[in-house]
Amino acid sequence: MIERWLRGTVLRLVQGDITTQAADAIVNAANSALVGGGGVDGAIRRAGGPEIEEACARIRAERGGCPTGSAVITAAGRLPARYVIHAVGPVWRGGAAGEADLLASAYRASLELASRHGLRTVAFPSISTGVYGYPVEQAARVALRAVAGALPRPPIEEVRFVLFSRTDLDAYARALQELGAPGAEENPDQTAGR
Ligand code: AR6
């Protein structure tokens, strides 16, 4: 596990399966139609059961879906998490089609929903880097910068990235380092009593 404190929130990187994570919310790498797919989406819907599809169907009926770069929140069915935040990242088209902005926006929208619902712990997968083909090194940088730049106030306790493979974990670890050297003042344990 790799972690880093930033303004009262711990950013944590772990390798694993997001469907098994205990967190207030796990984030789904969804599509804008909110219809079930493969990858994380398929795994979340299988593990969570019909309650998730029912909630997505209601959102589809009310507002037609969820545009790329935005997010919606539903119940989590049988998952250990309380909520699922369905975030829609962009399909990779070579990098000049606004992909980075849309990906950053999907992360920001997810944190905004988490904050609005008073959630304390949120677990993200690596949005867009599977079926949607976003190169993971670039996506990791966009993801961590977006999250670091949009941490809610008051701070949520933990933002966890759950990476499926060791290669993805390594890419996110490099991106986390690039955020700048951690200052002692960022870690409340190290500043206690000062
Ligand atoms: N836990 C954590 N990460 C996972 C898991 C899991 N259980 N399963 C896959 N990954 P993807 P996208 C990783 O394809 O690129 C769906 O059909 C995976 O290895 O799930 O945003 C949706 O319905 C990859 O690193 O999401 C959309 O249509 C990352 O999660 C479309 O795919 C994201 O891969 C979205 O594509």
Side-chain angles (χ1 to χ4, degrees):
M1 193 205 312
I2 301 160
E3 63 180 39
R4 165 99 189 265
W5 283 88
L6 214 55
R7 299 188 299 281
T9 298
V10 64
L11 301 185
R12 206 163 261 151
L13 310 182
V14 301
Q15 188 181 346
D17 178 348
I18 200 157
T19 64
T20 65
Q21 301 291 309
D24 289 338
I26 62 168
V27 177
N28 181 18
N31 55 63
S32 54
L34 296 176
V35 294
V40 179
D41 198 3
I44 286 177
R45 285 161 185 268
R46 270 193 306 279
E51 205 181 329
I52 296 177
E53 171 47 28
E54 285 158 21
C56 286
R58 278 195 296 276
I59 296 169
R60 282 198 300 273
E62 280 163 18
R63 43 180 136 149
C66 178
T68 304
S70 65
V72 296
I73 189 165
T74 69
R78 296 191 295 259
L79 290 168
R82 286 166 56 206
Y83 296 95
V84 176
I85 295 174
H86 304 261
V88 183
V91 174
W92 178 254
R93 300 186 197 284
E99 291 95 329
D101 287 346
L102 289 166
L103 185 60
S105 172
Y107 281 97
R108 283 195 302 267
S110 302
L111 287 179
E112 219 175 280
L113 277 175
S115 172
R116 234 189 287 153
H117 285 75
L119 309 186
R120 310 292 300 160
T121 51
V122 180
F124 282 99
S126 178
I127 298 171
S128 280
T129 64
V131 175
Y132 282 180
Y134 207 122
V136 68
E137 292 280 343
Q138 294 179 52
R141 268 184 234 127
V142 171
L144 284 166
R145 275 193 210 137
V147 166
L151 288 173
R153 289 255 143 228
I156 69 176
E157 275 163 29
E158 178 186 349
V159 176
R160 193 181 314 153
F161 283 87
V162 183
L163 292 322
F164 218 29
S165 70
R166 179 69 210 202
T167 316
D168 291 350
L169 178 67
D170 290 346
Y172 276 74
R174 281 190 291 276
L176 187 61
Q177 281 207 320
E178 278 176 23
L179 281 181
E185 73 284 356
E186 288 173 356
N187 187 333
D189 296 338
Q190 292 172 20
T191 55
R194 275 210 276 160

